[in-house]
Amino acid sequence: QLQASGGGLVRAGGSLRLSCAASGRTFSSYAMGWFRQAPGKEREFVAVITLSAAGSTRYADSVKGRFTISRDSSKNTVYLQMNSLKPEDTAVYYCAARLRFLTIGTMTTSAVYDYWGQGTQVTVSS
């Protein structure tokens, strides 16, 4: 349903672009988000975008100004452009889909998402 890709190893200050392709029921999601989980830590919110015409977005404070979430409706794909990467960005990144409406401020919690991708590893070396 959700296929994440684009992770890899990059030096601090570098960039990566993650992709999340939706299929099946996730094709008509209301919103899609990115979360990440570092070793020994809980999964944390990164960014979310609604798939409506407005395309509203919300970011975690830790990535604001460095990461950009976007969507390509023609490809049913959501992207996470990550710039100025830091070692603390190292984690497994997961994309998730929310099928029904919810205010964007409440979509920072993993529990509200209906589907999850398999995760892609991002490693930032110092």
Side-chain angles (χ1 to χ4, degrees):
Q1 303 272 23
L2 295 174
Q3 183 70 40
S5 62
L9 173 63
V10 64
R11 290 187 176 182
S15 299
L16 282 175
R17 189 179 78 158
L18 306 184
S19 301
C20 180
S23 61
R25 194 173 182 192
T26 60
F27 181 87
S28 56
S29 296
Y30 172 74
M32 291 180 68
W34 287 97
F35 287 74
R36 66 187 182 186
Q37 188 167 18
K41 295 187 177 181
E42 294 186 351
R43 189 170 297 189
E44 65 173 1
F45 168 76
V46 175
V48 60
I49 186 168
T50 62
L51 303 185
S52 62
S56 300
T57 59
R58 180 68 61 95
Y59 296 91
D61 288 342
S62 60
V63 307
K64 203 172 293 183
R66 300 187 297 122
F67 291 10
T68 302
I69 189 169
S70 62
R71 80 269 173 94
D72 185 335
S73 298
S74 67
K75 297 181 179 179
N76 302 319
T77 299
V78 170
Y79 302 99
L80 185 68
Q81 178 67 43
M82 306 186 295
N83 299 328
S84 301
L85 283 161
K86 304 175 181 179
E88 51 263 45
D89 294 318
T90 294
V92 177
Y93 283 69
Y94 298 89
C95 61
R98 164 78 186 181
L99 297 182
R100 295 175 301 279
F101 171 81
L102 200 62
T103 55
I104 197 167
T106 56
M107 285 194 281
T108 60
T109 303
S110 60
V112 305
Y113 289 84
D114 303 296
Y115 291 93
W116 290 84
Q118 84 285 8
T120 184
Q121 176 71 46
V122 172
T123 303
V124 185
S125 63
S126 57

